């Protein structure tokens, strides 16, 4: 029973990582940049939900919708000001700018919302289910997060594969200049990617803080790094990979804490990551493109 | 003979950099001895050199090996802790000067060793996968140091990875490494003079390295690995060499850092991924492959938040904006073109450094 | 000099007139900003009060607070900045890690250092110039273990602590040592780190499986609020026992205080205490800065008055150098006894530790209640 | 004994049999052509000869030594150098350095010697420069020695790639479509250069080319690949008049 | 149909085009020939909006497209077979071709286009599901051509379409170009294989280090001695 409990805890932690990782992978897969500010957009999204719900008494769903709108706009603004001018520069330059944006968002939130943590009210009222006569509890948060995650993954996969903008995204991710020659508006496509990624961040923020209810301006940064790790774990750029990577990361983290050492859990998670990548150098679902010579 | 002119150009640049450093060193020293140097500046001299060293080390990895490492703070950490540990253990038994020299050697060697060991698996990976694995290694190093408890009492040395209690030490025992409280009481032996000498040494070493036979091979591997293999270069070997040297230099920076502060702990901010990323910021802002640039960026970006202290809580906000603007100013193609048109090249700004040239 | 320019906008501009120069150091940006900002605000409040009431020995105080992001190197930089400003006395640092680094500097410079909240013994040990307003870690750990034993709160204790934080692991270590000494059974010891401090379900589950009927939680209230929420979700309801870091829990915005019902904590300060001094402090603080002050703030506020008292009884003026002040205060502070927000009859020994009656409080009906 | 002896070489990619039962024998000093329709497997043969792909079947002997499945770098040390269909220069380095990298294994000094600039460093570097310039002058590239390789015009880049390959002092030189993207005049110059290097460096050359003028002009022998299999093999004039070859490859 | 006026293009300090002007009329096949580094690729890239000229104008059917972003030019009916093929290596052959029809939405038209492309390049049909990055050089060249044709352009720019193709296919490719032209598409062709290019072209321009040095009727140029010597290898 203990093991099952841990497994479920791991799944629910993992699903939070996964939902963040989906946003990471989306942006990385298309724009080929590590958007280190993604975690901080999540934090902003969570604050927006918090303001709407706790301060203005709006219903959860409306709050999330408002948050999605805000984050989408924020994502597009960031993209336009900080990343777009560097489109033709090396990826590393954009990475560093993203770090600058991350600092900016954190400190901006510090100004706006203060440094004191706020306690986030879960957007999910459902208490969850009890199995085996109450010995095994799965919280509503966990169930809804996992379901949301899977739904988002399926929608994203469908979108990328079957819609025009999705097609454009794939072309842009392969070769920006050639994409122009196909008549694809590369800038608009990348903006759209950011918009989607940031919209996802709003949902991720609400779910993250519902499960782990303390919100500060720095709430997003650590899950951001973890989710980035998860995305790489699953094969960066791969949408189902992000889901699998996130879930696995969560499960490994919890099991390491439970059965090996809670002090060394972080080290163990990273060690497993390293081992997996050594066996599968492009992550679990990453496709290995062998260079044609 | 173009060839000699060419060779001289990069050497010239090195000499200019060293010249500038020496001049700054003299100015600082004079100001210090005449009491004109603020405590803040005085306190920053050694850390700035330490960060510069790590940035130079990382630049070797990013700029010449062409691999993104997000774990260089880990090597700095290894250098810092191993040397500080050594200095603490032999604080009473070895005289100051030889002990510090040994500490420098040990810290550098340990970082090199870790770099080497980590490189073996890491360098089989590519791109972002490699980056994330270096990040993972950095975090593991930090995490492990945080659970290390080493103490010494009359019965000898005790070790635990659980807590102080489980060391079972006598009452007279003293802690050498106390988990997250780290190492306290490291002798403060890093002076500005030593720091500057080491920095110059690192600049000379890296410059000579990239302009040597091995360095050329490393660059070739970066530019096109398959072609490098077909001209008979042992790719793995040279990647290892470059990564190890890069880690060693970062470790050297760690030794300086550790011997400049009384208490050494491993946190996300000083030896975790946050620091690794900060160092990467120095490297990219200063110019990938440009060692002098790394030093300049490390100095500027370390000083900047200190100089912004007057802004109180707005300080880090302004800092982040400045960082973004600097990045755009240095990298955005449109702005670069505008700068070209207005004679505002980095070369013009810095005097004589050129952005992209043949090494 | 140019006070205003060098300060964080927190100074009292005294334009050239002779003043006491008191500096403060703590995180006001970065992940620990909430702790530093409380301290900064409270010192400011006390300084304003003192100045209004005629200052110390007739001289006003200039106050300058510098950010250290809870980082050791930055803390030293902050300290040097304050030195350049002309600081005579340091009231800082806020966090223990930074305190370890800065105390070595102040010791070498002979600068008097009174820390409101850096509780690690590494801050004070070997440094005769450093004194604490808060309990030291061993003190807290020991007192907590004794309290639990004496009051028979539990037979089986579980501990969760932050193994990457000097403060948390410091308290844990002395708690564990004392528990062993007095025969208090610890059935589970679980850690977390700064990198994974949002999910405590596993640690809680392990404590639950070990049948711990009391959890000792030596860390800050930010994580505390999550632990309480998650324990509640699991349906696990042992006695929760926090230390001074838990203070602030009730003022977390939007926190469901019913979750904190029955939580013990060892805090010297309760924001809803009925005495005049506390009421005055809390209302002024709320008015000026918004939000309820916590124990960090109270300790910091007391710190200013402790300095005032010691300076007055030593009969010093700001003409004295930092060094002279330091030597005088070292002697003087060991003689004074001070009644403040955080304790009656506080006094200090030569190790820099405060002796004040540690007050265990329990949270009842969403408020702190004294247990004795 | 032949310099290169290939027997029953074959490779599959998934279900695709890209090369099958490939046999080839090249004598010391020969100039040999490998031709065939697009996708016939020519480049794949080069990739197997240089260890970039591991063959699924067959054997490769160089000078009597088995080099099948060896590492690319070791095969180069054994005496095989090549150029690529899609040019692979070290674009961020100078023309001179590109060639010096080719000389890497012929001139030794250790990493430490380089870092500390011991006398051997200067002596060796000087020799390397001399040798590199010598090779470059064959292609008239010595005047461009310190230009970045990626800034050379396309045709010159192809020649630099040959120069770099020659610097590794190979016994066998593999050229993959050296004349692609060149106009007839440039192609003619290239033919002369190839003839010249054969003489000066004494290398055996195996080349892939679609330009029939070049092939018929300098190749002594030809192998024609079609769908991964040998269609014809023999003296150039014979092969080019083979009706099968005309049908599958040349047209008309 | 297409008009280029006083085009100047710089790469940093290097001036690759020094003010060239020419025009392409509806339905024509125009060849642009010149040695390595003459600026042919640069010209095509500037026309299709991948490069911004320092000065000068490009007019498509009288509309100034100099400042119009590249992707919009495509929807105005221009296609470009780029130098170096630039196929999407991680996509399959089929997906690459679909990308070519990105600006189209009529399913029927797209299906027709597929049919035509597969007819011209049967190899592509065979390899529908192979990743483009693993195709041989010549196969990639065919894919690049096929992909450009998928958009059913009114004018097509081709940068060395015969490069890397086997002799039989070189013939084929020039036949295909003629067919495209017959079907009403205007063609601007850059070729090293000047002889074949001139043979099918209506008119031609000769580019030398960024300047147009000669122009005229293709047949005339083919018999021009200097051309013969410099570009036809005779
Ligand atoms: N890595 C690979 N994966 C799958 N198929 C491959 C791979 N490499 C080559 N092929 C296939 O093998 C066949 C032979 O390719 P190769 O590159 O050897 O042709 P080639 O004879 O050089 O043709 P070209 O003259 O067009 O360059 C082609 O059909 C190609 O698609
Ligand atoms: N990205 C670039 N940066 C700098 N110079 C360039 C760049 N691209 C081309 N050039 C230079 O501009 C000139 C014209 O190049 P372009 O590629 O247009 O020539 P081309 O006629 O297409 O030659 P080729 O037949 O080799 O393809 C050449 O001198 C070339 O070196
Ligand atoms: Mg080929
Ligand atoms: Mg071209």
């Amino acid at each position: 029973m203990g093991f099952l409990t841990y497994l479920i805890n791991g799944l629910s932690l993992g699903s939070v990582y996964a939902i963040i990782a989906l946003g990471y992978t989306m942006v990385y897969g298309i724009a080929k940049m590590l958007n280190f500010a993604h975690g901080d957009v999540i934090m902003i999204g969570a604050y927006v939900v918090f303001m709407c719900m706790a301060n203005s008494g709006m219903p959860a769903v409306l709050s999330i919708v408002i948050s999605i709108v805000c984050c989408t706009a924020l994502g597009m603004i960031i993209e336009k000001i900080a990343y777009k001018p560097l489109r033709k520069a090396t990826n590393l330059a954009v990475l560093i700018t993203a770090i600058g944006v991350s600092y900016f968002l954190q400190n901006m939130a510090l100004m706006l919302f203060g440094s004191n943590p706020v306690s986030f009210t879960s957007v999910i009222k459902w208490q969850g289910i009890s199995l085996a006569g109450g010995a095994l509890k799965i919280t509503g948060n966990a169930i809804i997060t996992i379901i949301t995650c899977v739904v988002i993954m399926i929608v994203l996969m469908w979108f990328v594969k079957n819609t025009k903008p999705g097609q454009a995204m794939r072309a842009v991710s392969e070769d920006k200049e050639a994409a122009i020659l196909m008549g694809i508006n590369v800038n608009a496509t990348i903006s759209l990617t950011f918009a989607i990624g940031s919209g996802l961040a709003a949902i991720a923020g609400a779910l993250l803080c519902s499960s782990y209810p303390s919100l500060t301006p720095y709430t997003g940064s650590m899950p951001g790094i973890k989710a980035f790790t998860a995305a790489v774990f699953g094969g960066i750029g791969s949408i189902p990979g992000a889901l699998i990577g996130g879930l696995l990361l969560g499960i490994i983290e919890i099991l390491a804490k439970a059965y090996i050492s809670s002090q060394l859990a972080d080290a163990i998670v990273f060690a497993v990551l390293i081992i997996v990548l050594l066996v599968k150098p492009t992550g679990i679902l990453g496709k290995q493109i062998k260079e044609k010579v | 003979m173009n060839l000699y002119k060419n060779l001289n150009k990069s050497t010239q640049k090195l000499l200019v950099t060293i010249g500038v450093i020496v001049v700054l060193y003299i100015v600082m020293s004079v100001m210090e001895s005449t009491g004109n140097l603020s405590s803040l500046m005085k306190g920053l001299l050694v850390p700035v050199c330490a960060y510069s060293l790590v940035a130079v080390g990382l630049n070797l990895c990013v700029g010449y090996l062409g691999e993104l490492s997000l774990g260089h703070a880990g090597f700095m950490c290894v250098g810092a802790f191993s040397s500080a540990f050594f200095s603490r253990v032999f604080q009473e038994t070895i005289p100051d000067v030889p002990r510090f020299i040994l500490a420098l050697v040990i810290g550098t060697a340990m970082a090199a060793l870790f770099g080497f060991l980590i490189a073996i698996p890491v360098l089989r990976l590519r791109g972002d996968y490699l980056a994330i694995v270096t990040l993972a290694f950095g975090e593991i190093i930090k995490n492990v140091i945080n659970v290390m408890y080493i103490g010494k009492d009359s019965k000898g040395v005790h070790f635990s990875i659980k807590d102080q209690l489980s060391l079972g030490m006598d009452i007279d025992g003293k802690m050498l490494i106390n988990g997250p409280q780290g190492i306290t009481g490291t002798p403060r032996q890093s002076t500005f003079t030593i720091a500057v000498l080491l920095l110059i040494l690192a600049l000379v070493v890296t410059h000579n390295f990239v302009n040597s036979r091995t360095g050329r091979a490393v660059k070739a591997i970066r530019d096109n690995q398959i072609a490098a293999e077909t001209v008979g270069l042992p790719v793995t070997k040279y990647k290892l060499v470059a990564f190890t040297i890069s880690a060693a230099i970062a470790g050297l920076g760690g030794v300086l850092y550790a011997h400049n502060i009384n208490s050494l702990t491993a946190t996300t901010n000083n030896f975790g991924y946050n620091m690794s990323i900060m160092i990467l910021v120095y490297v990219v802002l200063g110019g990938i492959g440009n060692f002098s640039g790394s030093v300049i960026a490390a100095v500027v970006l370390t000083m900047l938040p200190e100089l912004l202290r007057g802004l109180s809580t707005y300080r880090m906000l302004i800092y982040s904006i400045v960082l973004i603007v600097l990045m755009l100013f240095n990298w955005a193609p449109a702005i670069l073109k505008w700068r070209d048109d207005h004679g505002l090249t980095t070369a013009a700004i810095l005097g004589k450094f050129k952005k992209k040239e043949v090494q | 000099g140019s006070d205003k320019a060098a300060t964080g906008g927190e100074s009292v501009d005294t334009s050239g007139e002779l003043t006491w120069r008191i500096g403060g150091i703590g995180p006001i940006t970065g992940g620990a900003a909430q702790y530093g900002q409380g301290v900064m605000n409270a010192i400011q409040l006390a300084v304003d009060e003192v100045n209004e009431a005629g200052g110390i020995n007739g001289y006003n105080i200039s106050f300058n607070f510098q950010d250290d992001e809870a980082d050791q190197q930055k803390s030293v930089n902050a300290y040097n900045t304050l030195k350049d400003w002309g600081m005579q006395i340091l009231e800082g640092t806020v966090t223990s890690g930074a305190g370890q680094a800065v105390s070595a500097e102040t010791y070498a410079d002979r600068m008097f250092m009174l820390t409101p909240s850096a509780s690690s013994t590494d801050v004070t040990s070997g440094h005769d110039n450093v004194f604490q307003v808060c309990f030291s870690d061993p003190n807290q750990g020991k007192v907590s273990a004794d309290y639990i034993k004496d009051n028979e709160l539990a037979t089986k204790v579980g501990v969760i602590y932050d193994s990457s934080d000097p403060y948390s692991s410091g308290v844990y270590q002395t708690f564990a040592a004392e528990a062993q000494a007095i025969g208090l059974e610890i059935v589970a010891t679980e850690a977390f780190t700064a990198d994974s401090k949002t999910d405590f379900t596993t640690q809680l589950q392990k404590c639950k499986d070990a049948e711990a009927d009391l959890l000792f939680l030596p860390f800050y209230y930010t994580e505390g609020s999550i632990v309480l929420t998650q324990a509640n979700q699991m349906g696990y309801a042992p006695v929760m026992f926090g230390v001074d870091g838990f203070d602030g829990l009730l003022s977390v915005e939007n926190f469901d205080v019913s979750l904190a019902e029955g939580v013990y904590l060892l805090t010297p300060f309760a924001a809803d205490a009925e005495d005049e001094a506390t009421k005055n402090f809390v209302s002024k603080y709320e008015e000026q800065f918004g939000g309820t002050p916590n124990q960090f703030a109270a300790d910091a506020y007391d710190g200013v008055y402790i300095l005032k008292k010691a300076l007055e009884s030593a009969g010093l003026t700001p003409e004295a150098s930092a060094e002279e002040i330091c030597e005088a205060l070292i002697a003087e502070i060991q003689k004074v006894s001070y009644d403040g927000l955080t304790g009656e009859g506080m006094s200090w020994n030569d190790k820099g530790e405060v002796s004040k009656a540690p007050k265990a409080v329990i949270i009842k009906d969403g408020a702190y209640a004294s247990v004795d | 004994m032949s310099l290169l002896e290939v027997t029953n070489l074959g490779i599959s990619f998934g279900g695709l049999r890209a090369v099958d039962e490939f046999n080839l024998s090249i004598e010391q000093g020969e100039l040999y052509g490998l031709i065939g329709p697009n996708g016939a497997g020519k480049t794949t043969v080069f990739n197997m000869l240089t260890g970039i792909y591991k063959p699924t079947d067959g054997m490769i002997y160089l000078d009597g030594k088995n080099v099948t499945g060896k590492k690319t770098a070791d095969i180069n040390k054994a005496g095989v150098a090549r150029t690529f269909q899609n040019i692979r220069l070290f674009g961020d380095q100078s023309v001179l350095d590109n060639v010096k990298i080719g000389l890497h294994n012929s001139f030794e000094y250790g990493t430490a010697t380089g870092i500390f600039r011991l006398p051997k460093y200067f002596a060796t570097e000087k020799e390397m420069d001399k040798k590199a310039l010598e090779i470059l002058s064959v292609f008239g590239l010595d005047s461009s020695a310190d230009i970045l390789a990626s800034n050379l015009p396309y045709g010159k880049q192809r020649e630099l790639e040959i120069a770099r390959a020659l610097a590794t002092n190979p016994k066998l030189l593999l050229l993959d479509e050296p004349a692609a993207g060149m106009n007839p005049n440039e192609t003619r110059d290239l033919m002369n250069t190839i003839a010249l290097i054969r003489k000066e460096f004494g290398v055996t050359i195996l080349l892939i080319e679609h330009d029939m003028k070049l092939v018929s002009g300098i190749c002594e022998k030809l192998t024609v690949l079609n769908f991964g299999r040998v269609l014809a093999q023999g003296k150039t004039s014979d092969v080019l008049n083979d009706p099968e070859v005309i049908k599958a490859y040349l047209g008309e | 149909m297409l008009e280029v006026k006083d085009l100047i293009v710089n790469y940093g300090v290097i001036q690759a085009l020094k003010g060239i002007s020419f025009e392409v009329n509806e339905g024509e096949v125009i060849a642009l020939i010149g040695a390595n580094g003459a600026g042919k690729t640069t010209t095509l890239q500037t026309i299709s909006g991948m490069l911004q000229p320092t000065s000068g104008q490009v007019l498509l059917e009288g509309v100034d497209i100099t400042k119009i972003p590249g992707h919009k030019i495509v929807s105005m009916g221009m296609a470009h077979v780029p130098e170096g093929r630039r196929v999407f290596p991680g996509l399959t052959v089929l997906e690459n071709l679909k990308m070519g029809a990105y600006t189209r939405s009529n399913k029927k038209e797209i299906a027709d286009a597929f049919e035509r492309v597969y007819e011209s390049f049967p190899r592509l049909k065979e390899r529908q599901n192979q990743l483009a990055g693993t195709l041989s050089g010549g196969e990639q060249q065919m894919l690049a051509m096929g992909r450009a044709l998928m958009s059913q352009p009114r004018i097509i720019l081709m940068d060395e379409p015969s490069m890397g193709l086997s002799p039989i296919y070189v013939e084929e490719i020039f036949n295909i170009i003629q067919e495209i032209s017959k079907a009403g598409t205007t063609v601007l062709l850059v070729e090293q294989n000047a002889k074949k290019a001139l043979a099918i072209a209506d008119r031609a321009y000769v580019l030398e280090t960024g300047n147009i040095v000669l122009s005229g009727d293709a047949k005339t140029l083919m018999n021009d001695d200097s051309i013969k010597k410099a570009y036809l290898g005779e």
Side-chain angles (χ1 to χ4, degrees), chain D residues 179 182-192 211 213-214:
Chain D
M182 292 189 179
N183 70 28
N185 284 343
E186 290 158 348
T187 307
R188 198 174 42 219
D189 293 345
L190 181 71
M191 280 163 68
N192 295 334
D211 188 317
K213 243 190 211 145
L214 186 142

Side-chain angles (χ1 to χ4, degrees), chain E residues 196-207:
Chain E
K196 291 235 159 59
L198 291 177
I200 63 161
D202 299 310
R203 291 185 299 117
Y205 294 89
V206 180
L207 211 53

Side-chain angles (χ1 to χ4, degrees), chain E residues 40-41 83 159-160:
Chain E
K40 306 179 294 293
T41 300
E83 184 176 61
D159 202 340
E160 306 199 27

Side-chain angles (χ1 to χ4, degrees), chain D residues 122-148:
Chain D
F122 292 100
T124 318
E125 283 289 316
K126 207 167 152 190
E127 271 180 66
M128 283 176 101
D129 286 339
K130 202 173 130 226
K131 179 80 187 167
L133 285 171
E134 213 176 281
I135 297 174
L136 282 173
S137 66
V138 174
F139 299 87
L141 275 167
D142 45 345
S143 56
S144 318
D146 52 359
I147 292 179
L148 277 190

Side-chain angles (χ1 to χ4, degrees), chain D residues 38-39 181 183 185-186 210 249, chain E residues 36 136 164 166 168 192 229-230:
Chain D
N38 294 118
N183 70 28
N185 284 343
E186 290 158 348
H210 289 302
Y249 182 60
Chain E
N36 265 314
S136 84
S166 60
I168 213 169
Q192 290 290 4
K229 212 162 150 242

Side-chain angles (χ1 to χ4, degrees), chain B residues 41-232:
Chain B
M41 286 298 289
K42 223 185 314 182
L44 281 172
L45 295 175
V46 173
V48 157
C49 291
Y51 295 139
S52 299
L53 272 170
V54 186
V56 167
L58 180 62
N59 206 345
L60 184 63
C61 180
V62 173
Y64 291 90
L65 188 56
E67 300 291 6
L68 174 57
S69 163
L70 293 177
H72 259 57
F75 301 125
M76 188 183 174
C77 185
V78 169
F81 273 84
S82 58
S83 64
F85 180 70
F86 168 82
S87 294
R88 282 286 281 141
V89 171
F90 295 100
Q91 201 153 14
E92 276 97 41
T93 37
I94 306 181
D96 281 359
V97 174
R99 191 186 62 229
F100 187 50
I101 293 174
L102 277 173
L104 285 167
V105 172
I106 287 172
T108 312
M110 284 302 284
L113 178 68
F114 270 74
F116 178 77
L117 292 177
I118 288 170
I120 295 173
V122 160
L123 290 173
R124 295 175 43 200
L125 302 170
R126 292 266 170 95
D128 300 300
Y129 294 96
L130 189 148
I132 196 78
V133 168
T134 52
L135 182 140
F137 270 114
E139 292 303 291
I140 292 175
I141 289 172
K142 186 192 79 189
N143 198 221
V144 167
I145 282 181
N146 269 325
V147 298
M148 281 219 301
Y149 294 85
I150 302 179
K152 194 171 82 172
D153 64 7
S154 47
K155 284 181 287 184
V157 174
H158 303 256
F159 175 81
S160 159
I161 56 160
K162 190 164 177 287
D163 52 24
Q164 198 179 340
L165 196 63
S166 46
L167 291 177
M169 282 206 303
D170 285 352
I171 218 76
D172 66 319
K174 71 172 184 182
M175 290 305 288
L176 296 172
I177 302 183
N178 190 9
Q181 272 135 303
I183 300 179
T184 327
T186 317
R188 293 194 53 169
Q189 290 178 294
S190 298
T191 63
F192 185 41
T193 311
I194 293 170
V196 164
L197 285 176
L198 291 176
L199 181 58
I200 292 176
L201 176 73
L203 285 170
V204 171
V205 164
T206 47
H207 166 267
N208 286 357
F209 176 75
V210 301
N211 289 295
S212 75
R213 173 172 168 272
T214 314
R216 262 193 314 267
V218 169
K219 285 183 277 179
I221 293 164
R222 166 199 69 189
D223 282 355
N224 199 320
Q225 183 166 335
I226 289 176
E229 282 170 14
T230 57
V231 294

Side-chain angles (χ1 to χ4, degrees), chain C residues 51-201:
Chain C
N51 286 347
E52 229 161 85
I56 303 174
N57 292 338
Y59 294 93
N60 276 351
I61 306 171
S62 308
F63 169 55
N64 183 345
F65 193 93
Q66 289 299 329
D67 185 16
D68 69 0
E69 301 166 50
D71 177 76
Q72 299 184 319
Q73 182 62 54
K74 300 221 168 83
S75 201
V76 172
N77 298 347
Y79 170 70
N80 284 329
T81 307
L82 289 170
K83 254 169 60 183
D84 292 334
W85 168 69
M87 171 171 66
Q88 293 164 302
I89 302 168
L90 171 63
E91 189 177 345
T93 63
V94 172
T95 54
S96 291
Q100 289 172 18
V102 169
S103 60
E105 305 287 324
T106 57
Y107 178 71
D109 291 339
R110 303 311 294 161
M111 170 82 65
F112 189 77
M113 172 170 172
L114 180 68
T115 165
S117 54
S119 49
S120 160
T121 42
D122 277 350
V123 178
T124 45
S125 82
H127 304 134
D128 64 346
N129 63 319
V130 184
F131 292 81
Q132 291 163 324
V133 182
C134 58
F135 300 124
S136 68
D137 293 345
N139 198 343
Q140 294 198 55
K142 186 169 178 301
V143 169
S144 301
D146 291 346
Y147 187 90
I148 293 166
K149 176 81 178 172
D150 294 347
N151 292 281
E152 294 176 353
L153 290 182
T155 48
K156 292 178 170 179
V157 176
V159 185
I160 301 178
Y161 71 102
D162 182 347
S163 67
S164 63
D165 180 33
Y167 157 69
S168 184
S169 61
V171 177
Y172 155 67
Q173 296 198 10
T174 47
F175 178 85
E178 179 70 6
Q180 198 180 41
I182 61 174
L184 184 66
E185 192 191 358
I186 298 181
V187 292
T189 305
E190 296 302 320
F192 65 92
T193 67
D195 295 341
S196 47
K197 55 179 183 184
T198 50
D199 180 41
F200 302 95
T201 49

